[in-house]
Amino acid sequence: MRFFRFLVAVKDEMKQVSWPDAKQTRKDTSSVIFVALSMAIFLGIVDYLVQMGLKFLA
């Protein structure tokens, strides 16, 4: 019985959510992809430089 009440509450709560439109979703998605790729490139460069530094010391 408690689980059923929980599902009813979830349904009511989901009706109150303001969902973003398609344009905002595309904008947010492209921002996330850009930041993820930028961080991957940055960390790749840092990793390469650290490897070269360790080889130089060895």
Side-chain angles (χ1 to χ4, degrees), residues 6-56:
F6 169 75
L7 291 178
V8 170
V10 168
K11 181 181 174 186
D12 291 340
E13 193 66 31
M14 292 302 283
K15 288 179 182 177
Q16 297 176 5
V17 174
S18 65
W19 298 99
D21 59 355
K23 183 179 179 182
Q24 185 65 39
T25 303
R26 279 191 298 274
K27 182 179 174 185
D28 292 346
T29 301
S30 40
S31 296
V32 168
I33 290 171
F34 174 75
V35 170
L37 289 175
S38 299
M39 288 302 297
I41 292 169
F42 172 74
L43 292 174
I45 292 170
V46 169
D47 181 53
Y48 177 77
L49 293 174
V50 168
Q51 285 182 22
M52 291 299 111
L54 290 175
K55 283 183 182 179
F56 178 74

